[in-house]
Amino acid sequence: IERLLVVSRGSHSLTVFDRLTGEVKDVLELPFEPADLLVHSSKDRAFVSCSGARVVADIDLVALTVTSIPVPCIQPAWM
């Protein structure tokens, strides 16, 4: 599939574009503060770190669904 994935920190979303036409195919809502994007093309999955929600968003690129994977962490003492 010819697609372009764009993470938007401001709107907490992932926009899926048709890479050839530029048409928006879908917009998926993501947890708070999405940032880094990793694509596993052979499994049709993408992963987005969402530090504000302390999760990794696991995105099924066929069904266009999002599942949150909690990331255990300790709050720094200075926060």
Side-chain angles (χ1 to χ4, degrees):
I1 296 174
E2 297 289 334
R3 63 183 154 220
L4 174 68
L5 306 174
V6 177
V7 173
S8 175
R9 188 178 179 112
S11 64
H12 313 295
S13 64
L14 175 83
T15 305
V16 181
F17 292 92
D18 181 303
R19 193 175 66 84
L20 302 176
T21 66
E23 175 187 358
V24 174
K25 291 298 193 180
D26 210 335
V27 178
L28 305 174
E29 185 177 330
L30 295 175
F32 190 60
E33 290 186 3
D36 302 308
L37 170 68
L38 173 77
V39 177
H40 193 311
S41 58
S42 65
K43 293 197 180 219
D44 285 322
R45 298 195 91 69
F47 301 91
V48 178
S49 63
C50 300
S51 61
R54 294 183 180 166
V55 299
V56 171
D58 177 359
I59 303 157
D60 181 326
L61 295 173
V62 175
L64 294 177
T65 56
V66 179
T67 303
S68 292
I69 302 170
V71 177
C73 62
I74 298 172
Q75 186 83 6
W78 54 268
M79 292 186 85

